[in-house]
Amino acid sequence: MKLEGAGTIVTGGASGLGRAVADLFAKAGANVVVFDLNAEAAAKAAQEIGGVAVAGDVSKEDDADRAVDAAVESFGNLRILVNCAGIGPASRIVGREGPMPLGDFEKVIRVNLIGSFNMLRVAAARMSTQDALDDNERGVIINTASVAAFDGQIGQAAYSASKGGIVSMALPAARELARFGIRVNTIAPGIFLTPLLQGMPEEVQSSLAAAIPYPSRLGKPAEFAEMARFMVENTYLNGEVVRLDGAIRMAPK
């Protein structure tokens, strides 16, 4: 699918990996809805890339509907969804103060897994009604998992469970939506230089980078965005989960 003229929603699009996707796609000619919980940041990002801002929670049905409506009303179509919104708090199953509060586990699952599915279902429904393009294609959906889905560390039980669900969802979603000409792929990033890591001391960043076989550095958000672009533009790529991690395999802790 061509990016030029494609109505696109990027969740978590106001910062980090999502912002990199929004920037690259807009430069390539896509029309982008920046959907983010932070209304001020979403508005700023949308203004800078010539897009549309929608503030909301990906796990809420009404907010997801508003984002889809904004894309169709503003651009006349919705062809691409890139799910980047997520949270990643660390918490042991049994810590010094006892078992992990169940609400903490539920929150991670709700934002990361349910939020991704919520956006996928409403975007796919709208995409399925559009005119087909080349190869009978109507839309592309890209979800963001993590290497933690495969080798999660101590303290990542909730995060790994949420990202593992996203990985497992890729193939059945791709199979089901194939009849509409909608592709579904997933990126599983390793350690990327997001705002969270940028705020860490230099020695911590260097230690993390040293664990990555090659290249021995933190991933650049622009590299994540390039992978998302490849997934959009290569029509034969479907139902796949691609690790983007410099060959890292995470240690237990």
Side-chain angles (χ1 to χ4, degrees):
M1 179 178 291
K2 295 178 180 179
L3 282 169
E4 187 173 359
T8 302
I9 298 173
V10 181
T11 72
S15 65
L17 301 180
R19 178 61 194 267
V21 172
D23 286 350
L24 179 64
F25 280 33
K27 289 177 182 176
N31 299 311
V32 180
V33 169
V34 178
F35 184 31
D36 201 282
L37 191 62
N38 186 325
E40 184 177 350
K44 183 175 184 293
Q47 182 180 26
E48 291 176 353
I49 66 171
V52 172
V54 175
D57 183 338
V58 292
S59 69
K60 293 184 178 179
E61 295 182 50
D62 290 347
D63 288 358
D65 287 334
R66 284 194 300 107
V68 169
D69 288 342
V72 176
E73 292 168 5
S74 300
F75 312 133
N77 68 81
L78 174 59
R79 295 292 183 183
I80 301 166
L81 166 66
V82 184
N83 274 319
C84 293
I87 58 175
S91 180
R92 289 179 179 247
I93 299 169
V94 180
R96 294 177 180 175
E97 298 180 1
M100 177 195 301
L102 186 58
D104 291 355
F105 185 90
E106 289 177 336
K107 182 178 180 179
V108 176
I109 297 297
R110 170 155 290 281
V111 174
N112 293 355
L113 179 55
I114 295 177
S116 294
F117 179 76
N118 187 36
M119 292 301 304
L120 180 149
R121 69 182 186 87
V122 295
R126 191 64 61 93
M127 291 174 180
S128 70
T129 65
Q130 299 178 133
D131 293 337
L133 304 174
D134 294 344
D135 274 340
N136 201 41
E137 190 171 30
R138 289 186 171 84
V140 182
I141 296 171
I142 299 171
N143 290 321
T144 300
S146 167
V147 295
F150 308 100
D151 33 72
Q153 298 182 294
I154 291 171
Q156 288 188 322
Y159 184 70
S160 294
S162 69
K163 295 301 186 176
I166 291 172
V167 167
S168 296
M169 185 167 62
L171 184 58
R175 285 172 164 173
E176 180 177 341
L177 298 177
R179 67 191 180 100
F180 299 117
I182 299 170
R183 294 185 291 117
V184 181
N185 288 299
T186 299
I187 304 173
I191 307 173
F192 273 70
L193 191 59
T194 59
L196 176 64
L197 286 179
Q198 286 176 328
M200 292 183 175
E202 186 64 35
E203 59 269 22
V204 174
Q205 295 185 34
S206 298
S207 176
L208 291 170
I212 302 169
Y214 183 79
S216 295
R217 60 168 173 79
L218 303 182
K220 300 174 184 178
E223 292 169 323
F224 178 94
E226 288 287 358
M227 176 56 70
R229 178 175 183 170
F230 176 77
M231 287 181 165
V232 168
E233 294 181 337
N234 191 323
T235 308
Y236 207 60
L237 188 62
N238 193 16
E240 292 298 329
V241 178
V242 177
R243 289 183 66 137
L244 190 65
D245 60 14
I248 195 171
R249 297 299 181 267
M250 304 295 286
K253 61 181 178 179

